[in-house]
Amino acid sequence: MTDKVSGNGNGQAAARTEAAGERRFDVVVVGGGAAGLSAALTLGRARRSVLVIDAGEPRNAPADGIHNYLGREGAKPAELLATGREEVARYGGETTGGRAVSAARLDGGGFRVGLDDGSAVRAERLLLATGLVDGLPEVRGLAERWGREVLHCPYCHGWEVRGQAIGVLGTGPLAVHQALMWRQWSEDVTLFVHTAPEPDEEQYERLAARGIAVVEGEVAAVEVTDDRLTGMALAGGRVIPCQALVVPTRLDARTDLLADLGLTTVEQEIGGVPIGTRVDADPTGATAVPGVWVAGNVTAPVEILIGGATAGVRAAAAINADLTEQETLAAVAARRASAGAATTA
């Protein structure tokens, strides 16, 4: 899928074509989710030429709807993105389907981004909004229910399973905290210890006080009846009924292009417990590599959708300011050179 817009009809700066036949944009955004499209919209409205490269792999694709996004509550994820692409195009921005497979800094300034179809584009600045990958525990049948009855975020999915029998799959030290959190959405919560540390005496007391059942032993498989989750099968064969399962995933930043640009990931922790990786950046999304920004889950793994959109806007504003400074310095240098030439003439 490719949407092409000239960008000249509304006063936006048009992409330039280099001698090699490669188009050069003010900004290339890699990743067409909420963060990337919000950044592109902001840049388009700032009269910047911008291209969004989108591999079409949104993290929330299996979800029935998006939540806690004011004004778009319950919208289908695909509909939100389609609307976003239309809005970007309205301000002269371009989107192209495909995967960015390489990135390199150019000697004359800016970057060259290669796509999986063999083509390439150039950019003065790069914004990586590539998101993250959810690492699921190895339980038979779990992946097939991901985004349906197998959930991870109470603020994204809690309302939809309120009052149901909710299981929490323990995979680490945060298992008790997660079970207590989900108790807000149902009085029927079961903590499957699975591979998590066994709760200590105080934790058992807290769980009991909230009426949360604790099941020891590893979970072997997800039980499904009539295409609905109905229970969890333990390694010993016992099946514990439940209608929804909370699974804390490992949240690892997508590493596409990072090595090419000299970027690395750092460990993300909650309460001292590692939960995944992210790309380090300042509050605007600027990375340690000049000219490269990040936004969304690639740098903030636990951020919800509306937060990612906000981060995209913030990064876009910082990128525009950076480009403005560069253009101003170039204009001053040109003015001084012109004045100097006039003086010596």
Side-chain angles (χ1 to χ4, degrees), residues 8-285:
N8 293 323
N10 52 21
Q12 184 200 46
R16 303 179 297 280
T17 301
E18 301 294 323
E22 297 169 353
R23 300 179 69 204
R24 188 175 192 124
F25 295 83
D26 290 330
V27 185
V28 165
V29 179
V30 183
L37 289 174
S38 293
L41 177 61
T42 303
L43 289 162
R45 286 176 53 81
R47 303 179 66 193
R48 295 293 181 184
S49 60
V50 57
L51 173 69
V52 179
I53 302 172
D54 183 23
E57 299 173 348
R59 180 190 178 203
N60 63 353
D64 286 337
I66 61 174
H67 303 290
N68 294 313
Y69 199 125
L70 190 63
R72 299 292 293 171
E73 175 63 29
K76 300 293 185 184
E79 292 176 2
L80 178 73
L81 298 184
T83 300
R85 289 190 292 269
E86 292 172 0
E87 291 174 348
V88 169
R90 189 184 309 163
Y91 294 97
E94 302 183 24
T95 62
T96 184
R99 187 181 302 277
V101 296
S102 65
R105 185 180 292 280
L106 297 170
D107 292 338
F111 303 88
R112 183 178 187 271
V113 179
L115 281 73
D116 55 0
D117 64 359
S119 65
V121 293
R122 302 190 184 192
E124 295 293 334
R125 301 291 186 272
L126 285 182
L127 173 61
L128 304 182
T130 48
L132 57 80
V133 177
D134 290 283
L136 292 170
E138 293 186 4
V139 174
R140 190 169 66 253
L142 195 68
E144 290 76 10
R145 313 308 299 181
W146 175 242
R148 300 175 68 182
E149 304 97 350
V150 176
L151 315 167
H152 71 293
C153 171
Y155 301 104
C156 300
H157 310 291
W159 177 263
E160 282 62 45
V161 297
R162 66 193 184 283
Q164 296 183 21
I166 300 174
V168 176
L169 188 67
T171 60
L174 297 175
V176 171
H177 165 77
Q178 289 155 346
L180 291 169
M181 178 70 71
W182 278 87
R183 176 61 178 76
Q184 174 64 23
W185 282 267
S186 176
E187 296 180 359
D188 187 353
V189 176
T190 298
L191 171 60
F192 294 90
V193 176
H194 191 50
T195 59
E198 182 181 358
D200 59 28
E201 184 175 339
E202 180 183 356
Q203 289 174 323
Y204 268 122
E205 182 181 28
R206 290 165 64 85
L207 291 166
R210 294 291 282 160
I212 298 173
V214 178
V215 176
E216 298 180 354
E218 291 196 21
V219 173
V222 171
E223 289 284 313
V224 177
T225 304
D226 295 330
D227 198 31
R228 292 290 303 178
L229 175 70
T230 55
M232 304 303 295
L234 303 181
R238 182 184 172 199
V239 175
I240 308 297
C242 70
Q243 298 166 284
L245 182 69
V246 177
V247 177
T249 63
R250 180 170 172 84
L251 311 173
D252 286 314
R254 291 185 184 273
T255 57
D256 309 357
L257 308 183
L258 297 188
D260 289 355
L261 296 167
L263 289 169
T264 58
T265 58
V266 297
E267 197 72 24
Q268 173 75 28
E269 298 182 348
I270 292 182
V273 178
I275 62 166
T277 58
R278 62 180 176 84
V279 178
D280 201 16
D282 76 6
T284 72

Side-chain angles (χ1 to χ4, degrees), residues 282-340:
D282 76 6
T284 72
T287 70
V289 177
V292 180
W293 271 257
V294 289
N297 288 141
V298 70
T299 186
V302 297
E303 188 68 271
I304 64 174
L305 194 68
I306 196 169
T310 300
V313 173
R314 187 165 50 242
I319 292 170
N320 182 60
D322 191 49
L323 285 168
T324 298
E325 177 66 11
Q326 174 180 289
E327 292 158 354
T328 300
L329 291 176
V332 168
R335 184 176 187 275
R336 289 175 178 173
S338 178

